[in-house]
Amino acid sequence: MERILLVDDDEMNLMVTEMILSEMGYHVDTASGGAECIDILQKEDYDLLLLDVELLDMRGLKVLEQIREIPRLREIKTVFLTASSHREDMTEALRLGAIDFVRKPVLPEKLIEVVRNALVERPKEVILAVDDEPMSLMATRNFFGIRYDVITASSGEEALTKIREEKPDLVLLDLHMDGMDGLEVLQRIHDTEGCDNLPVVFLTADSDEDTEAEIFKAGATDFIAKPFVVQVAMQRIRRVLQLKHLQDSLHEEVEKKTEALRESNQRMKNLSGQVIRALAGAIDAKDPYTNGHSVRVAEYSKKLAKKLGKTNEEMEEIYNIALLHDVGKIGVAIDIIRKPGRLSHQEYEDIKKHTVIGYEILSTISEMSSLAIGARWHHERYDGTGYPDGKAGEDIPEIARIICVADCYDAMSSDRSYREALSQSFVREEILRGKGTQFDPKIADAMLEMIDADTEYTMRGRCGDENNRT
Ligand SMILES: [Fe+2]
């Protein structure tokens, strides 16, 4: 639990503020004066000191000054509670390393915001100050070095190098410099990869409206006119940096969510693939004579799709559709499917129904509506004499035309219970004979090329081997 020491001489303020902080889950100790505060701090460790500026026994600023002289307390995070807004006080507080101010009477939401921000452990932010006048650079370093790590560059070129090498959190840029001026530096920063979100605040003595408009038009984050009041400039820089942190964490959050979504999509894709393969296995198991047929047809279809210039995604889709092209056989009597001899007219009519049955089964999968296409139309013929709908030519979905060629190639090139695989030359002749009548000529040509490239007639044996082992 983080520990806070709260110092205020007003009893009511002390009570209210302590209550809010305790509600937030912090351990809170209290002191009502400066001397008591220093005494407690010497004995106990705290993560944050909330210190009233006006205490009865000594001023809060004096208390902080004394605390900073104690080596162990030099870095203690301090936030001031103040009813006034004297510039001198605020400047002095910043010089002593105060992180922030909370105006009294304390508003709970403001207190919560400031305390939470103060307790966030983050490394000191790095500011790159760019100015070609050494005196200005030194002043900037002195002012802002109280709270930030300030690095410097005395020219645009040097600034760009330091931005690349040291990756500052913010750039304080002088407008008028010899050589590359501020606007050009800004343009070059925007052109640098990974620097689109780097805040650039201009510091310039030109405070006229035109200059201001020009600077913002060029994409600057903010503009501080010289001479400036340190605490005001400091507050503006703090706000710019807070905004940057918010943007960065939002960006990180979006990245994380996108990655989680990507993983979830991949898991869904894997699951769909597994379900499709399991279903294809169930179809093939029903007809042991053609075991592995679905997987081989899917492989040939994918190869044909590749030859036809389809993308990887399309090839994957065609593979899945082809895997399930005969799913309707689940609804056909097993003795008809397993009958080795010639089928009767009625049996043939029954087996033809596997196209429509398959279509009906797969149509229920609304998330992958294309799955049903292969099942219904893979027995259509290019000349319109196929079944179940007698579609012709380009009316037959291309996926079904591809599966049709792959299906016939596998039927001829695989061993059956009643015959060996047909010879490659015979298979080639049949594909050629069916070109333009049974098959889409383009797809038949693609298959002929695949056959011609397969000089040892090994293609038929390889496809689906992996799945045939089971
Ligand atoms: Fe079929």
Side-chain angles (χ1 to χ4, degrees):
M1 185 189 284
E2 281 148 320
R3 292 165 57 86
I4 298 175
L5 179 61
L6 171 64
V7 189
D8 200 322
D9 53 5
D10 183 314
E11 217 170 296
M12 186 55 90
N13 281 343
L14 208 58
M15 202 177 74
V16 172
T17 314
E18 183 189 5
M19 201 175 70
I20 299 168
L21 294 171
S22 299
E23 277 292 308
M24 287 168 71
Y26 299 116
H27 171 98
V28 186
D29 287 330
T30 57
S32 53
E36 188 189 354
C37 163
I38 296 169
D39 189 42
I40 294 175
L41 283 177
Q42 279 176 325
K43 295 176 199 151
E44 307 249 1
D45 288 329
Y46 289 91
D47 301 293
L48 181 68
L49 173 63
L50 267 176
L51 186 57
D52 188 14
V53 172
E54 301 296 339
L55 294 165
L56 281 178
D57 60 343
M58 59 201 289
R59 298 202 74 213
L61 294 168
K62 193 76 192 156
V63 177
L64 187 56
E65 198 178 338
Q66 290 191 20
I67 287 171
R68 293 293 185 224
E69 282 168 15
I70 303 168
R72 190 173 64 80
L73 300 173
R74 207 160 277 159
E75 297 290 320
I76 187 166
K77 290 176 175 172
T78 305
V79 168
F80 273 105
L81 301 166
T82 176
S84 75
S85 53
H86 286 138
R87 273 185 188 172
E88 297 74 24
D89 287 351
M90 291 170 111
T91 309
E92 179 61 5
L94 290 170
R95 192 190 66 77
L96 290 165
I99 297 175
D100 213 338
F101 301 90
V102 176
R103 196 62 61 82
K104 286 165 69 173
V106 171
L107 295 173
E109 60 272 27
K110 182 68 187 168
L111 178 73
I112 291 168
E113 183 198 325
V114 170
V115 168
R116 281 204 178 130
N117 276 338
L119 285 169
V120 168
E121 276 304 332
R122 59 167 74 109
K124 243 184 175 180
E125 286 129 328
V126 178
I127 291 182
L128 171 64
V130 189
D131 204 312
D132 59 350
E133 285 177 33
M135 289 303 286
S136 296
L137 220 44
M138 196 190 291
T140 308
R141 192 208 286 268
N142 285 343
F143 291 140
F144 298 105
I146 296 167
R147 184 180 292 172
Y148 303 104
D149 274 343
V150 181
I151 55 174
T152 56
S154 51
S155 70
E157 283 297 346
E158 192 188 349
L160 292 168
T161 306
K162 289 209 166 161
I163 286 168
R164 277 194 301 273
E165 289 174 357
E166 306 197 30
K167 312 224 173 305
D169 297 290
L170 182 142
V171 179
L172 264 180
L173 189 53
D174 182 28
L175 181 59
H176 300 294
M177 290 188 289
D178 284 343
M180 200 189 298
D181 74 359
L183 289 173
E184 196 183 339
V185 176
L186 177 63
Q187 185 56 49
R188 297 270 298 269
I189 291 173
H190 285 162
D191 292 343
T192 307
E193 206 189 325
C195 289
D196 334 0
N197 292 330
L198 176 61
V200 177
V201 176
F202 273 89
L203 269 180
T204 174
D206 299 350
S207 56
D208 59 286
E209 277 177 17
D210 287 349
T211 309
E212 203 170 331
E214 192 182 8
I215 283 172
F216 280 118
K217 201 173 156 205
T221 318
D222 206 349
F223 167 90
I224 297 171
K226 288 198 263 190
F228 53 82
V229 177
V230 177
Q231 67 268 29
V232 173
M234 200 76 108
Q235 286 292 340
R236 287 174 81 161
I237 284 174
R238 199 167 63 85
R239 288 207 186 285
V240 168
L241 285 168
Q242 272 175 351
L243 193 67
K244 180 177 184 282
H245 288 311
L246 279 177
Q247 280 172 336
D248 288 350
S249 48
L250 190 68
H251 184 68
E252 247 174 58
E253 194 59 24
V254 169
E255 294 254 297
K256 258 193 242 162
K257 293 261 187 258
T258 310
E259 184 53 34
L261 199 63
R262 209 177 288 134
E263 277 175 17
S264 152
N265 280 344
Q266 190 55 49
R267 275 201 300 277
M268 281 306 293
K269 218 172 149 192
N270 292 347
L271 177 67
S272 309
Q274 284 162 6
V275 170
I276 288 170
R277 279 193 292 281
L279 204 50
I283 306 159
D284 287 351
K286 195 166 180 180
D287 184 358
Y289 305 133
T290 58
N291 196 8
H293 171 70
S294 299
V295 176
R296 289 194 302 272
V297 171
E299 296 279 356
Y300 300 141
S301 299
K302 191 174 167 182
K303 280 183 197 260
L304 284 168
K306 189 174 183 182
K307 273 214 157 294
L308 295 166
K310 303 295 176 193
T311 63
N312 285 346
E313 208 172 313
E314 288 168 329
M315 279 158 58
E316 219 38 58
E317 189 189 16
I318 290 169
Y319 182 89
N320 286 332
I321 294 171
L323 261 181
L324 297 181
H325 75 283
D326 269 347
V327 75
K329 283 189 177 168
I330 283 171
V332 178
I334 199 159
D335 48 344
I336 301 179
I337 288 175
R338 291 190 175 180
K339 187 174 175 180
R342 201 175 167 77
L343 298 174
S344 71
H345 174 73
Q346 187 50 52
E347 286 166 343
Y348 185 55
E349 287 304 312
D350 281 349
I351 213 160
K352 277 162 71 176
K353 286 180 189 157
H354 79 279
T355 50
V356 177
I357 296 170
Y359 178 80
E360 280 165 4
I361 292 171
L362 298 175
S363 293
T364 59
I365 305 175
S366 57
E367 288 298 312
M368 293 172 87
S369 55
S370 56
L371 277 180
I373 295 170
R376 185 171 187 118
W377 290 297
H378 70 278
H379 284 292
E380 298 289 359
R381 293 171 52 104
Y382 200 69
D383 59 9
T385 61
Y387 66 88
D389 299 315
K391 277 181 179 284
E394 310 272 310
D395 273 354
I396 308 165
E398 191 185 23
I399 291 171
R401 282 180 268 142
I402 291 172
I403 296 171
C404 174
V405 175
D407 191 18
C408 291
Y409 175 82
D410 184 63
M412 294 187 283
S413 65
S414 58
D415 295 334
R416 294 292 155 108
S417 61
Y418 49 92
R419 63 149 171 81
E420 298 267 291
L422 303 172
S423 73
Q424 194 186 34
S425 56
F426 183 86
V427 175
R428 191 186 191 288
E429 268 317 296
E430 284 301 300
I431 300 282
L432 189 61
R433 204 161 61 86
K435 179 178 161 181
T437 53
Q438 185 176 2
F439 310 124
D440 176 330
K442 276 200 315 288
I443 301 168
D445 280 340
M447 180 49 96
L448 290 170
E449 274 179 38
M450 276 162 54
I451 292 172
D452 293 341
D454 179 27
T455 52
E456 303 295 319
Y457 199 21
T458 51
M459 178 165 71
R460 65 187 178 107
R462 299 228 170 116
C463 287
D465 274 355
E466 195 183 318
N467 293 62
N468 281 341
R469 271 185 241 141
T470 51

